[in-house]
């Protein structure tokens, strides 16, 4: 490893690898540092993504990334009513391990260097200027100089904090999650299941994403506030005992998703934040794979451009937040408002939304049908819902 | 990197999944999370956000009674 690069990227998740790839493609020297021993492991994800979410950044979709394809979603109401919707595009359940590996490999092929077991613990400064990072590797401390530091360090988002950006996730915006990959479950492989109910998953939802061959990711997220009363694992175990009492479990993990709007500040002089670190997750679904790819591509390109122009000030990076907001960030503001509204709905209200959905024939049903019913007391948000779901 | 284990928070490494949710909600950046270890540093004010957000309840305030 050299002690000086144009760009150092902290974290080799989808956001970091994609940023590194697009930055390296502009000719910049890039090093990608990952604290875990392996890229893509452990997988902390339900692995659902839409086709468009991938193709917006990736030229080809490798079949190895895809465990299963889904076409429909079943919404389960608190009293057990089921509203089925057809997706307007293919949904994939990924193999995130292979997917994340390949994204990192693409960055390497574009010219980036990658080191694992490299734990970044601080920024390197010259007076007030950020000029690199400090990290530990196999028990030794190192410094790396860089013109630009990219914080792609996921939900923890400490790189941004060190630079003085308020990256902390509020308790009510943090979805605290638990998931099992269950096998021997008797389910159609074409249907996703989402459960909304204050009992099953307060201020969040429970998902069942079939992975094919009798396997499924069964997990839930609840807000940090709701978790004060009951932990996500306690909620999930109750559901498993009721719904899949005989399932064998292939794995089990915990995780946190920042279900927020994009942070107000995602660039500083010599620094950018991408992915979960910048709170770029879709706040209503908790989906952060596609946003990480989209933001990573823009951030990588803008970082490369700024280097070529010899200016790495926050001002020179403004194209990144501008393009991100146009592509996704603006919609996330709407999703955030909708999330805050639907998390307040009572179980009775959720049941009546299901009733309203069931009155519309399946071919004509859409997310808008459901949101029209959900927002009956808040019509000002209906137009917003139409904007993001139409 | 200060590594001061506060005697007021019990950390159960056997239960921890190292997911980082606690780090994200900590108001004072008081938690260091390595690949398979966690430590709480001196700036902790015992706000309990980490205790509540932890999906597996690996952190606990030690009640002094
Ligand atoms: C339970 C759960 C289910 C989910 N389901 C879905 C889903 O179905 N669909 C979807 O689209 N999204 C889902 N998500 C969200 C998705 O996983 C994230 O949004 C996505 O991984 C974000 O990518 P990222 O690169 O920003 O962060 P990450 O993938 O978290 O990568 C960050 C990387 O940075 C590393 N890192 C952190 N700190 C340091 C440091 N100090 N030094 C070096 N390296 C560091 C970490 O080890 C990690 O590898 C889910 C999340 C959870 C928790």
């Amino acid at each position: 490893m050299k002690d000086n690069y144009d760009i150092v990227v902290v974290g080799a998740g989808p956001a970091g690898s994609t940023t590194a790839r697009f930055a390296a493609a502009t000719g910049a020297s890039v090093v990608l540092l990952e604290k875990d021993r392996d890229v893509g492991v452990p997988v902390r994800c339900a692995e659902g993504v839409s086709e468009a979410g991938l193709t917006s950044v990736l030229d080809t979709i490798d079949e190895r990334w895809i465990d299963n394809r889904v076409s429909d979603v079943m919404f389960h109401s608190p009293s057990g009513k089921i509203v089925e919707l057809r997706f307007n595009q293919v949904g994939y359940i990924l193999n995130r391990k292979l997917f994340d590996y390949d994204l990192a490999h693409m960055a390497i092929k574009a010219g980036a260097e990658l080191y694992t077991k490299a734990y970044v613990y601080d920024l390197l400064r010259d007076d007030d200027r950020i000029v690199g990072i400090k990290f530990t590797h196999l028990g030794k401390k190192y410094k790396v100089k860089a013109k630009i530091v990219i914080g792609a360090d996921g939900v923890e988002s400490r790189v941004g904090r060190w630079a003085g950006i308020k990256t902390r996730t509020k308790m009510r915006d943090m979805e605290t999650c638990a998931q099992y990959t269950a096998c021997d479950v008797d389910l159609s492989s074409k249907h996703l299941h989402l459960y909304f109910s204050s009992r099953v998953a307060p201020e969040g939802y429970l998902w069942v994403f079939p992975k094919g061959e009798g396997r499924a990711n069964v997990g839930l997220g609840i807000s940090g506030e709701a978790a004060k009363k009951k932990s996500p694992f306690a909620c999930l175990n109750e559901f498993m005992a009721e719904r899949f009492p005989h399932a064998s479990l292939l794995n089990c993990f915990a995780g946190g998703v920042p279900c927020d709007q994009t942070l107000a500040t995602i660039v500083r002089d010599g620094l950018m934040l991408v992915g979960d670190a910048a709170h770029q997750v879709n706040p209503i679904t908790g989906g952060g794979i596609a946003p990480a790819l989209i933001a990573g591509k823009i951030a990588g390109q803008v970082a490369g451009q700024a280097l070529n122009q010899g200016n790495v000030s926050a001002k020179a990076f403004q194209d990144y937040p501008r393009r991100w907001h146009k592509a996704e960030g603006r919609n996330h503001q709407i999703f955030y408002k909708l999330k805050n509204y639907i998390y307040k709905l009572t179980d009775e209200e959720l049941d009546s939304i299901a009733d309203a959905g069931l009155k519309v024939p399946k071919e004509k049903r859409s997310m808008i049908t459901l949101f029209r019913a959900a927002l009956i007391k808040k019509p000002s948000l209906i137009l917003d819902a139409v904007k993001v779901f139409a | 990197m200060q590594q001061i284990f506060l005697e007021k928070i019990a950390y159960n490494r056997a239960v921890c999944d190292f997911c980082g949710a606690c780090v994200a909600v900590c108001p004072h950046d008081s938690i260091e999370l390595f690949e398979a270890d966690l430590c709480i540093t001196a700036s902790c004010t015992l706000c309990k956000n980490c205790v509540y957000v932890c999906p597996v309840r690996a952190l606990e305030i030690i009640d002094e009674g």
Side-chain angles (χ1 to χ4, degrees):
Chain A
M1 185 188 295
K2 299 186 291 181
D3 55 11
N4 203 329
Y5 291 84
D6 289 329
I7 300 177
V8 51
V9 181
V10 184
S17 291
T18 306
T19 310
R21 169 186 165 196
F22 282 94
T26 68
S29 65
V30 181
V31 67
L32 185 53
L33 300 177
E34 168 57 50
K35 71 173 172 179
D36 285 345
R37 66 169 76 82
D38 211 347
V39 171
V41 185
V43 175
R44 294 188 198 282
C45 188
E47 305 177 295
V49 70
S50 70
E51 180 173 45
L54 296 185
T55 54
S56 59
V57 172
L58 302 165
D59 298 332
T60 50
I61 294 178
D62 192 321
E63 274 302 315
R64 288 160 45 257
W65 300 339
I66 298 164
D67 273 347
N68 186 30
R69 287 177 162 76
V70 290
S71 54
D72 297 79
V73 54
M74 315 256 248
F75 289 99
H76 297 248
S77 83
S79 70
K81 293 172 180 140
I82 302 174
V83 185
E84 195 176 341
L85 276 189
R86 165 81 20 115
F87 287 128
N88 46 16
Q89 54 173 311
V90 185
Y92 296 130
I93 309 302
L94 295 175
N95 178 328
R96 271 272 321 253
K97 201 152 122 181
L98 284 179
F99 180 69
D100 282 25
Y101 242 90
D102 282 3
L103 293 180
H105 194 189
M106 286 178 205
I108 291 167
K109 282 193 278 194
E113 289 174 37
L114 167 71
Y115 296 90
T116 58
K117 280 191 173 263
Y119 177 75
V120 176
Y121 66 90
D122 204 356
L123 293 171
L124 197 62
R125 292 171 197 272
D126 182 2
D127 288 332
D128 270 353
R129 244 166 15 103
I130 295 163
V131 294
I133 56 90
K134 303 176 191 174
F135 74 101
T136 61
H137 180 64
L138 307 178
K140 284 204 189 111
K141 291 185 173 177
Y142 300 88
K143 289 175 186 166
V144 175
K145 282 199 165 174
K147 298 189 183 96
I148 304 176
V149 173
I150 311 257
D153 50 337
V155 64
E156 294 172 49
S157 194
R158 297 185 69 213
V159 173
R161 288 202 202 202
W162 300 329
I165 301 173
K166 291 193 177 117
T167 67
R168 175 168 74 97
T169 306
K170 293 189 286 295
M171 286 293 269
R172 67 186 183 92
D173 288 336
M174 173 59 80
E175 288 290 302
T176 168
C177 305
Q179 182 181 284
Y180 292 116
T181 300
C183 51
D184 307 327
V185 293
D186 184 18
L187 283 173
S188 143
S189 67
K190 295 287 152 236
H191 292 80
L192 299 183
H193 297 262
L194 301 176
Y195 292 74
F196 287 86
S197 125
S198 65
R199 189 178 60 91
V200 175
E203 298 185 2
Y205 66 90
L206 180 145
W207 61 83
V208 180
F209 288 3
K211 278 179 71 84
E213 297 170 6
R215 297 165 304 158
N217 291 335
V218 185
L220 55 75
I222 64 179
S223 82
E225 288 298 335
K228 289 180 178 174
K229 295 194 197 97
K230 196 168 174 186
S231 82
F233 262 105
C235 296
L236 182 59
N237 287 336
E238 276 177 24
F239 178 83
M240 293 301 290
E242 252 174 56
R243 178 64 185 83
F244 300 117
H246 305 297
S248 312
L249 304 176
L250 281 170
N251 76 29
C252 141
F253 71 83
V257 189
C259 289
D260 190 7
Q261 312 179 72
T262 307
L263 293 174
T265 304
I266 57 173
V267 296
R268 274 278 157 93
D269 292 348
L271 181 122
M272 296 183 180
L273 302 181
V274 275
D276 281 14
H279 296 197
Q280 286 167 326
V281 178
N282 177 330
I284 208 166
T285 61
I289 301 171
L293 299 179
I294 293 165
K297 176 175 175 179
I298 302 171
Q301 289 174 338
V302 171
Q305 255 167 34
L307 285 167
N308 286 334
Q309 290 162 3
N311 182 352
V312 295
S313 68
K315 226 172 169 181
F317 297 156
Q318 281 311 314
D319 246 8
Y320 165 44
R322 194 184 53 74
R323 283 169 60 191
W324 159 258
H325 278 284
K326 204 166 157 224
E328 296 290 326
R330 275 202 306 235
N331 282 349
H332 285 193
Q333 292 171 347
I334 296 176
F335 285 127
Y336 185 70
K337 275 197 267 180
L338 294 172
K339 173 195 98 162
N340 286 335
Y341 187 79
I342 58 174
Y343 281 3
K344 279 194 231 119
L345 295 171
T346 62
D347 283 358
E348 292 70 36
E349 285 169 322
L350 287 165
D351 276 321
S352 64
I353 296 164
D355 285 331
L358 287 168
K359 282 202 192 103
V360 178
K362 191 189 164 192
E363 324 77 70
K364 294 204 179 139
R365 237 180 257 154
S366 69
M367 288 302 285
I368 312 239
T369 321
L370 295 179
F371 272 96
R372 260 188 220 290
L375 298 169
I376 210 135
K377 287 189 197 144
K378 188 85 177 165
S380 60
L381 279 179
I382 292 181
L383 269 180
D384 279 336
V386 170
K387 260 189 237 158
V388 290
F389 287 112
Chain B
M1 217 177 337
Q2 270 176 302
Q3 298 197 13
I4 299 169
F5 282 90
L6 280 189
E7 277 131 36
K8 291 177 184 163
I9 296 191
Y11 167 58
N12 189 340
R13 185 174 297 114
V15 169
C16 177
D17 198 39
F18 317 104
C19 75
C22 55
V23 179
V25 297
C26 175
H28 307 292
D29 196 23
S30 308
I31 306 179
E32 292 275 346
L33 174 61
F34 309 90
E35 188 173 22
D37 199 3
L38 178 146
C39 78
I40 295 172
T41 56
S43 53
C44 170
T45 59
L46 291 176
C47 78
K48 301 193 194 175
N49 276 358
C50 57
V51 173
Y52 292 129
V53 91
C54 175
V56 292
R57 296 284 195 255
L59 293 161
E60 227 177 330
I61 300 280
I62 298 170
D63 203 349
E64 286 168 343

